[in-house]
Amino acid sequence: MKRLFLPIVDYFRTRRKVILKFIAPIICSGIFIGLSFLIPLQEDANIPQIFSDFINALISIVAIFISFSIAIISILVSADNPNIQRLREMQSKDGSMKELNGKPLTLFQVLLSNLAYNVFIEVLFLVVLIVYLLIKAVIPEVAIRYLIAFGVFGIVHILLILLETVVQMYHTFWQN
């Protein structure tokens, strides 16, 4: 069971200032909650239906992200070309990375760690969204805005980590 959470543990162990990756999602969630209290709803708004539609959309988006992330991992791990070989040999000079077990990370490890963390978070988020669908009938309407805010938090966090991975890939291949 301990090995199951290794991608998350290694991600946090190898990043400096990892808390900064949660600031934007928290701000977006807070803005959503604030606006949900400030902006009055239309009289004919069906909150449970809006919630259900939002969750269904998030499930579709996260499923696509999982497929995308796993495809990238498969390509990265199975490719055998000079670019991938350089990634495996070149140490990361990014100041936001820490050493793992006393050794500096390679660019390959940084990318793989980001992707593995993202897949893990995406799968956990997908499970949470499915639970939302199962319990939506018993959730009071007052709580729905907080569940949607958590959905906003989750999707913004996933998007930021995915964007960080793309930027790392860009810089890795641009600099080489």
Side-chain angles (χ1 to χ4, degrees):
M1 187 69 169
K2 181 181 174 184
R3 294 181 68 189
L4 180 66
F5 295 100
L6 194 57
I8 289 181
V9 171
D10 282 348
Y11 183 84
F12 281 94
R13 285 178 49 202
T14 59
R15 301 316 192 267
R16 298 182 199 281
K17 300 178 184 175
V18 76
I19 195 72
L20 296 177
K21 295 179 190 324
F22 293 96
I23 291 176
I26 289 170
I27 290 171
C28 290
S29 297
I31 289 171
F32 171 81
I33 289 175
L35 290 176
S36 73
F37 282 108
L38 292 175
I39 299 173
L41 292 174
Q42 297 174 356
E43 289 183 28
D44 60 342
N46 183 349
I47 302 301
Q49 184 60 44
I50 293 169
F51 176 67
S52 186
D53 291 346
F54 178 71
I55 299 307
N56 286 331
L58 281 182
I59 287 173
S60 297
I61 291 167
V62 170
I64 291 168
F65 285 164
I66 291 171
S67 300
F68 175 72
S69 298
I70 289 175
I72 293 173
I73 289 173
S74 298
I75 292 168
L76 197 60
V77 171
S78 64
D80 188 24
N81 64 47
N83 287 333
I84 300 299
Q85 193 57 38
R86 275 194 310 230
L87 285 176
R88 291 176 188 219
E89 295 168 357
M90 191 176 296
Q91 292 180 357
S92 173
K93 296 179 179 116
D94 187 355
S96 66
M97 301 295 153
K98 296 186 224 174
E99 292 182 348
L100 184 62
N101 299 327
K103 297 179 184 176
L105 298 176
T106 65
L107 294 175
F108 182 83
Q109 288 172 314
V110 170
L111 289 173
L112 189 59
S113 172
N114 261 19
L115 290 165
Y117 171 79
N118 215 24
V119 167
F120 197 88
I121 295 302
E122 290 164 350
V123 169
L124 284 177
F125 189 54
L126 184 62
V127 169
V128 167
L129 294 173
I130 291 169
V131 168
Y132 277 12
L133 285 178
L134 296 174
I135 65 171
K136 74 179 178 185
V138 296
I139 299 171
E141 281 191 24
V142 175
I144 287 178
R145 69 178 49 152
Y146 296 103
L147 295 178
I148 292 175
F150 182 75
V152 169
F153 171 87
I155 201 68
V156 170
H157 180 66
I158 288 168
L159 285 171
L160 289 177
I161 299 300
L162 197 55
L163 185 61
E164 177 187 16
T165 303
V166 170
V167 168
Q168 286 173 340
M169 287 179 146
Y170 175 80
H171 284 296
T172 297
F173 289 108
W174 182 263
Q175 292 174 353
N176 293 326

